Amino acid sequence: MHLIWPAEQARPIDDDELERLYTYPDRERWLAVNFVASADGAVEVGGLARPLSTPPDRKVLQLGSDLADVLLIGATTAVVEGFRGVHPDRQTLDRRRRHGLADVPPTAVVSTGGTLSADAPVITRARVPTIVLTCASVPEPTRRAWQEAGAEVVFAGEDTVDLAAAVSALTRRGLRRIDCEGGPRLFGALTAAGLVDELRLTVSPLLTAGPAGRIATGPPVPPTGLRLATALAEDDTLLLRYLTASR
């Protein structure tokens, strides 16, 4: 893999330096959003993000979760992608222990109850209890079903999920390194709430055309300025790290 930005530091890098680049800053809270998109901007192929992914993308995505305290994901993305939480291999365990992290980070799923069933793999197949970030208007039977399936239910907001309150609930639990893995509606809402610190964007070497959406959706918000922190390239894949302007 080659570091190509900052230009004055351009050079090949090894896995140890790659890990250092993707280590979360020592801040009270850091929320990084991971996305892969085709060169023409598609966020999915056939309804899934997985066909866009490349080996370099999977490498940095792995680093994002390996070095995080918690994974944050929207309910629709968790269900569509069949997400089942983190199941660490030896490399992940070694990496997390070197950084003083728990062996398995929990997954926090944002849901208002319509998409997330109690038998979803993200709840039933997770190695540690999944945190469901939801709102008070969700019917009591739905909440109870999540809890009986093993999830921890956290309320943030009345009729919709208040993402600022949800993120604060995570940080109060000591889960301050937050790795968001989609989807687009969650990314759009996090952007609108001013909660995104970093965007980790992979540009996949594919052209797809078609009706695929973008990486962030939702009501328009004032543009958020970004600063390019690093750019890496490997096997025609471009790996970009952007920090929001305040960082």
Side-chain angles (χ1 to χ4, degrees), residues 6 14 22 41 44 61 63 89 110 202 221 232 243:
D14 60 18
Y22 280 82
E44 48 87 5
L61 187 66
L63 281 170
D89 57 17
V110 178
T202 297
V221 298
L232 301 108
L243 307 184

Side-chain angles (χ1 to χ4, degrees), residues 90-165:
R90 175 49 57 186
Q91 180 186 46
T92 290
L93 284 173
D94 289 345
R95 180 177 285 145
R96 293 185 65 81
R97 289 170 181 173
R98 278 194 286 107
H99 287 265
L101 301 171
D103 284 354
V104 184
T107 299
V109 185
V110 178
S111 176
T112 55
T115 303
L116 185 66
S117 63
D119 61 356
V122 72
I123 294 177
T124 60
R125 300 187 64 186
R127 289 282 296 274
V128 296
T130 292
I131 301 167
V132 179
L133 301 168
T134 191
C135 51
S137 62
V138 170
E140 196 274 335
T142 300
R143 308 178 214 161
R144 187 172 63 249
W146 287 333
Q147 291 170 323
E148 290 175 351
E152 176 186 359
V153 177
V154 174
F155 297 105
E158 294 297 321
D159 297 318
T160 60
V161 178
D162 180 333
L163 289 173

Side-chain angles (χ1 to χ4, degrees), residues 33-246:
V33 178
N34 286 273
F35 260 103
V36 59
S38 67
D40 58 331
V43 75
E44 48 87 5
V45 174
L48 297 173
R50 198 173 301 117
L52 293 169
S53 187
T54 64
D57 173 61
R58 289 189 286 275
K59 186 182 294 185
V60 299
L61 187 66
Q62 183 79 45
L63 281 170
S65 63
D66 282 359
L67 298 172
D69 292 317
V70 61
L71 276 63
L72 179 65
I73 192 167
T76 299
T77 297
V79 171
V80 169
E81 298 285 345
F83 192 76
R84 59 192 186 96
V86 174
H87 291 249
D89 57 17
R90 175 49 57 186
Q91 180 186 46
T92 290
L93 284 173
D94 289 345
R95 180 177 285 145
R96 293 185 65 81
R97 289 170 181 173
R98 278 194 286 107
H99 287 265
L101 301 171
D103 284 354
V104 184
T107 299
V109 185
V110 178
S111 176
T112 55
T115 303
L116 185 66
S117 63
D119 61 356
V122 72
I123 294 177
T124 60
R125 300 187 64 186
R127 289 282 296 274
V128 296
T130 292
I131 301 167
V132 179
L133 301 168
T134 191
C135 51
S137 62
V138 170
E140 196 274 335
T142 300
R143 308 178 214 161
R144 187 172 63 249
W146 287 333
Q147 291 170 323
E148 290 175 351
E152 176 186 359
V153 177
V154 174
F155 297 105
E158 294 297 321
D159 297 318
T160 60
V161 178
D162 180 333
L163 289 173
V167 169
S168 292
L170 296 178
T171 58
R172 285 196 300 273
R173 287 165 168 76
L175 306 174
R176 59 187 183 86
R177 303 173 187 88
I178 304 171
D179 175 42
C180 179
E181 299 195 356
R185 283 186 296 173
L186 178 56
F187 184 21
L190 289 167
T191 300
L195 295 168
V196 177
D197 298 298
E198 179 181 351
L199 168 61
R200 298 173 175 182
L201 175 64
T202 297
V203 180
S204 181
L206 293 171
L207 295 173
T208 67
R214 55 197 292 174
I215 65 172
T217 61
V221 298
T224 299
L226 298 174
R227 174 172 60 85
L228 182 62
T230 59
L232 301 108
E234 182 176 272
D235 296 338
D236 302 317
T237 298
L238 189 60
L239 306 157
L240 306 172
R241 287 179 54 246
Y242 286 104
L243 307 184
T244 52
S246 61

Side-chain angles (χ1 to χ4, degrees), residues 1 11-21 59:
M1 190 171 291
R11 66 191 185 283
I13 64 170
D14 60 18
D15 286 346
D16 288 340
E17 186 166 3
L18 183 67
E19 181 176 309
R20 287 194 293 274
L21 288 176
K59 186 182 294 185

